[in-house]
Amino acid sequence: MTHSHSHLWPGVPLALGSAVLFGATPPLSKLLLDSVNPFMLAGLLYLGAGLGLALYRLLRDRQANAGEARLAAEDIPWLALAIGMGGIVGPVLLMFGLILNTASSSALLLNLEGLATMAIAWLVYRENVDRHLLFGAFAILTGAVLLSWQGNGVTFNLGALLVAGACLAWGLDNNFTRRISATDPVVIAMLKGLVAGTVNVGLALIGGASLPAAPIVASAAAVGFFGIGVSLVMFILALRHLGTARTGAYYSLAPFIGALLAIVMLGDAVTLKLAIAGLLMGVGLWLHLSERHDHEHEHQALEHEHSHVHDEHHQHHHDGPVTEPHSHLHRHAPLRHKHPHYPDLHHRHDHG
């Protein structure tokens, strides 16, 4: 059986869509910062994501089977680590780092998240990274750094170390999340939003902040639902299809998306810096899209559960009629073949 669609689908559109939604969050949040404490706003964004996805899950599951695998007992430690690193440790380190460091230096350092995500995936989890991905990621990261550069460089003080620590925490979060990306992404993102939002709002209240007016709370919740919640669901689905390093590389386009939206929404100036950054990111995106990882590879026998359709990797029998996609425990027989692929759920083999 041959592939009926490009190996770029649906992972690449999902990763880019996630970057667009997340990239829109900073300029939209900036409109709210005059009325909301930054710590409180972070909490409201995450709570909006968690509550919105909880409502969506309730409506979805009442109408039909989601076709997604449920979280198993062995997934809980990874989920807890992801929530702890990405929803609590990362934001707390960032807040303290912003207090001790300049905003421009902190913005520049935040671009380390993509680098940390890729480095951990490559060096710790041995995910395949070829020259196309490395050069493309370098071009995207350079463009993101250029967007954040204010001419003052980076101040290497305690604040800078705290911001870099936040990026490391988010890089770990992305890699931990990949370990459970076969399960329902709505549930993962919902739990992340609810836990992180509750903790951050609690910290804001302890610090003396007060809840803003209801229209501001509703606006923040709406931004959080799309910019964090829906974006995170798409990010997890992209992890499922692309692996961590490539998803993180595409996600690094978010600062450029945010800069473009700031021009449209906030009237920011179009600068030479933005044009050069856009060119660098365009080159990086082209390098990623032109990557063709294609070689003969062998699938070992594997038993797992995740949402799937009956494609060339899923040729098992059902006793009665089924709807697709669906999720159940299934076994893969050993298989050797050749086709373009990414390090997805079924292609995490060694490359020597």
Side-chain angles (χ1 to χ4, degrees), residues 121-172:
W122 182 22
L123 299 175
V124 178
Y125 291 105
R126 312 306 298 172
E127 191 170 297
N128 174 253
V129 173
D130 60 17
R131 284 180 294 179
H132 263 77
L133 184 64
L134 284 175
F135 290 144
F138 178 77
I140 291 173
L141 182 63
T142 303
V145 168
L146 182 61
L147 279 177
S148 305
W149 190 265
Q150 301 296 322
N152 300 320
V154 178
T155 304
F156 287 101
N157 53 20
L158 178 59
L161 291 176
L162 290 171
V163 175
C167 292
L168 177 60
W170 285 319
L172 288 167

Side-chain angles (χ1 to χ4, degrees), residues 28 56 59 61 72 88 106-107 143 145 155-156 200 225 274 277 294 301 311 338 346:
L28 290 172
Y56 167 77
L59 296 173
D61 292 353
I88 299 174
S106 297
V145 168
T155 304
F156 287 101
N200 289 331
F225 173 67
L274 180 65
D294 186 357
D311 56 16
K338 178 182 179 182
H346 302 97

Side-chain angles (χ1 to χ4, degrees), residues 5-281:
H5 52 72
S6 168
H7 63 289
L8 303 176
W9 178 267
V12 171
L14 285 167
L16 293 176
S18 177
V20 168
L21 287 174
F22 184 75
T25 303
L28 290 172
S29 298
K30 189 172 182 178
L31 296 174
L32 299 170
L33 276 175
D34 290 338
S35 308
V36 190
N37 172 280
F39 231 139
M40 177 63 71
L41 179 58
L44 292 174
L45 290 172
Y46 273 94
L47 271 182
L51 293 173
L53 289 174
L55 178 60
Y56 167 77
R57 178 173 178 255
L58 178 64
L59 296 173
R60 179 197 69 180
D61 292 353
R62 286 181 61 182
Q63 295 176 0
N65 186 347
E68 290 286 351
R70 295 185 178 184
L71 284 167
E74 59 267 24
D75 297 324
I76 301 303
W78 295 111
L79 176 62
L81 285 170
I83 293 174
M85 286 291 107
I88 299 174
V89 174
V92 168
L93 288 176
L94 176 62
M95 290 302 116
F96 282 107
L98 288 173
I99 293 172
L100 298 173
N101 203 24
T102 63
S104 58
S105 292
S106 297
L108 178 60
L109 285 164
L110 282 173
N111 292 304
L112 291 173
E113 179 187 349
L115 188 60
T117 298
M118 181 182 297
I120 294 168
W122 182 22
L123 299 175
V124 178
Y125 291 105
R126 312 306 298 172
E127 191 170 297
N128 174 253
V129 173
D130 60 17
R131 284 180 294 179
H132 263 77
L133 184 64
L134 284 175
F135 290 144
F138 178 77
I140 291 173
L141 182 63
T142 303
V145 168
L146 182 61
L147 279 177
S148 305
W149 190 265
Q150 301 296 322
N152 300 320
V154 178
T155 304
F156 287 101
N157 53 20
L158 178 59
L161 291 176
L162 290 171
V163 175
C167 292
L168 177 60
W170 285 319
L172 288 167
D173 167 28
N174 294 334
N175 280 275
F176 293 151
T177 301
R178 195 208 77 165
R179 300 293 296 264
I180 55 175
S181 62
T183 60
D184 192 340
V186 173
V187 172
I188 296 173
M190 177 190 73
L191 292 174
K192 275 190 174 184
L194 291 174
V195 174
T198 301
V199 170
N200 289 331
V201 167
L203 289 173
L205 292 173
I206 291 172
S210 58
L211 284 171
I216 300 298
V217 171
S219 298
V223 172
F225 173 67
F226 290 102
I228 294 177
V230 178
S231 174
L232 182 54
V233 170
M234 297 177 76
F235 185 87
I236 295 169
L237 289 171
L239 286 174
R240 183 183 294 179
H241 294 283
L242 300 178
T244 316
R246 286 158 181 81
T247 303
Y250 282 115
Y251 198 70
S252 297
L253 290 167
F256 182 65
I257 303 299
L260 288 180
L261 289 174
I263 291 171
V264 175
M265 296 167 47
L266 304 176
D268 288 4
V270 179
T271 63
L272 178 62
K273 179 173 68 174
L274 180 65
I276 296 174
L279 178 62
L280 285 167
M281 290 183 165

